[in-house]
Amino acid sequence: MNHADWPLSAPVNLTWEITHRCNLSCIHCLSSSGRETAGELELEECLSIVDQLAALKVFEINFGGGEPLLKDYFLTLLRYIHEKGMVTCVSTNGTVFNDEAVACFTGNPLVNVQVSLDGATAEVNDRIRGQGTFQRILNGVERLANRDISLSISTVVTAINFSQLGQLKELAGSFGARLRVSRFRPSGRARATWEELRLNSRQLQELADWLDNDTSILTGDSFFSISREENRRELGLNMCGACKMTCCIDPCGLVYPCAFLQEDEFCAGNLRETSFKYIWDMSPVFNYFRGLEPASCQKCPRYNMCHGGCPAIAYFANKDLNQPDPECLINWTADLTAGLLAGSSK
């Protein structure tokens, strides 16, 4: 699809952070979740938003947080969405499943469950998600295993769990689940751990090679910018989908381009004051993102492969949306080449 064809009449899917309340305090949390935010949406307000999204024929709502299952009305909301025929994805830390949640997920073709796990061993996972969480998460996954549930293990790839990706795939498989990997991005608490947890150029190369050789791995968005053209483009977009095919609703009803750009300057509107359709169609923020084409990337031979990569990483790394994704293939291969040349000159 050409840039001139945007916007679609509605997003294909969107992320909805239903609460900031969480029982964990992960060091890479994109929204710095922990306590519930004052003024989070009430159930009736959420039902009204769902009615708007259903009328626009939004295909899928991806729920995150915080921990969605800690919101007292969450399962009621989920069932209402399913009555509308909409697909959902629930991203959960896996530690708070109860019988009602398991029953809601079982045999339901309209829900996908992603359980977050950030290491194949307690030593690695617990450095990121907190002491004792590894076994608690596995206990939760066990409750969903061997049931008629679409289940995946979701891992944010960092420098400290990178070497365990193969083990994580095997671990997921042992529960009848698939492994889904996401890029680490400097949003929320992750800003403080960006330099510690980000992949270096050689790790990015190895990650691209690994994904090339195993197309069974599910990937989050923006992997196209760190992968070779023959690889992940077949499994997703070749550009950032923010404001084009997706967006984000926060727990208080504010709308943003994506979950990783929840900054005041990127707020497109408030669903307590404005309809979703008006925000999607008319927001100056959204229209700016639809035309975003980093000038520094336009002469790049891979420009049509990624259109500058992930704006969220570019913004937090450079405070400039018109800069390229610093982890794009061109950048990390240049870093590798420079390193090899420096080594050979010694």
Side-chain angles (χ1 to χ4, degrees):
M1 183 175 288
N2 189 283
H3 281 76
D5 296 330
W6 306 116
L8 301 179
S9 60
V12 176
N13 59 57
L14 57 83
T15 296
W16 191 342
E17 293 196 338
I18 199 66
T19 184
H20 281 146
R21 183 184 174 194
C22 193
N23 58 320
L24 303 185
S25 186
C26 304
I27 64 174
H28 61 3
C29 180
L30 70 91
S31 54
S32 301
S33 291
R35 296 182 178 180
E36 184 169 316
T37 301
E40 291 189 359
L41 294 166
E42 301 292 339
L43 175 59
E44 290 302 318
E45 293 176 302
C46 292
L47 298 179
S48 175
I49 293 170
V50 170
D51 289 341
Q52 294 179 55
L53 300 178
L56 292 172
K57 302 188 183 304
V58 172
F59 176 72
E60 182 175 18
I61 301 175
N62 303 317
F63 281 104
E67 171 50 53
L69 290 167
L70 291 178
K71 197 67 177 176
D72 56 2
Y73 59 65
F74 179 65
L75 294 177
T76 300
L77 177 63
L78 203 64
R79 285 188 285 264
Y80 185 77
I81 293 168
H82 296 158
E83 289 172 5
K84 298 286 185 179
M86 301 168 72
V87 175
T88 59
C89 178
V90 179
S91 294
T92 170
N93 63 40
T95 67
V96 293
F97 293 132
N98 57 29
D99 291 344
E100 183 184 5
V102 174
C104 183
F105 300 153
T106 301
N108 190 340
L110 294 177
V111 63
N112 303 294
V113 182
Q114 293 179 358
V115 179
S116 297
L117 183 71
D118 284 300
T121 60
E123 179 184 8
V124 171
N125 174 82
D126 292 5
R127 283 180 61 186
I128 298 172
R129 306 194 71 81
Q131 189 65 33
T133 57
F134 180 74
Q135 192 56 55
R136 291 170 62 195
I137 294 166
L138 291 189
N139 291 343
V141 174
E142 183 66 39
R143 293 201 66 178
L144 305 186
N146 302 313
R147 294 176 178 269
D148 183 14
I149 296 174
S150 175
L151 177 64
S152 61
I153 299 297
S154 183
T155 300
V156 177
V157 183
T158 64
I160 65 176
N161 65 22
F162 169 79
S163 63
Q164 293 193 333
L165 291 176
Q167 293 169 263
L168 279 161
K169 179 189 174 182
E170 293 179 4
L171 182 59
S174 71
F175 291 105
R178 295 178 69 181
L179 177 65
R180 179 186 185 275
V181 295
S182 296
R183 289 180 66 189
F184 173 58
R185 282 174 274 198
S187 175
R189 271 195 293 272
R191 295 180 209 174
T193 56
W194 171 245
E195 293 302 330
E196 174 191 357
L197 299 183
R198 66 182 297 192
L199 300 183
N200 62 36
S201 297
R202 189 161 298 282
Q203 289 168 330
L204 285 166
Q205 180 183 41
E206 291 180 22
L207 177 60
D209 291 341
W210 184 67
L211 292 173
D212 269 335
N213 293 325
D214 192 344
T215 56
S216 72
I217 305 299
L218 303 172
T219 51
D221 62 351
S222 81
F223 269 89
F224 52 82
S225 62
I226 69 169
S227 300
R228 296 177 182 83
E229 57 191 87
E230 68 270 17
N231 182 21
R232 290 281 142 179
R233 289 183 64 232
E234 298 179 1
L235 303 180
L237 286 172
N238 65 346
M239 67 179 76
C240 170
C243 308
K244 306 178 186 77
M245 298 186 71
T246 190
C247 63
C248 174
I249 301 173
D250 89 344
C252 298
L254 302 179
V255 183
Y256 297 93
C258 83
F260 297 95
L261 283 169
Q262 295 183 65
E263 300 292 305
D264 290 345
E265 64 190 289
F266 302 131
C267 182
N270 185 339
L271 291 173
R272 283 178 162 142
E273 302 170 354
T274 312
S275 72
F276 183 87
K277 178 171 175 53
Y278 186 88
I279 293 171
W280 180 258
D281 289 343
M282 305 302 294
S283 163
V285 171
F286 278 23
N287 285 320
Y288 173 80
F289 270 83
R290 287 165 185 148
L292 185 61
E293 297 183 345
S296 58
C297 294
Q298 291 179 30
K299 293 183 179 180
C300 174
R302 293 190 78 252
Y303 183 69
N304 288 333
M305 309 296 177
C306 78
H307 296 275
C310 176
I313 301 181
Y315 175 79
F316 287 112
N318 304 299
K319 294 301 179 185
D320 185 355
L321 287 170
N322 286 297
Q323 292 297 311
D325 182 337
E327 292 185 342
C328 78
L329 181 148
I330 293 295
N331 283 336
W332 60 253
T333 51
D335 288 345
L336 280 174
T337 300
L340 290 172
L341 289 174
S344 63
S345 66
K346 293 181 179 178

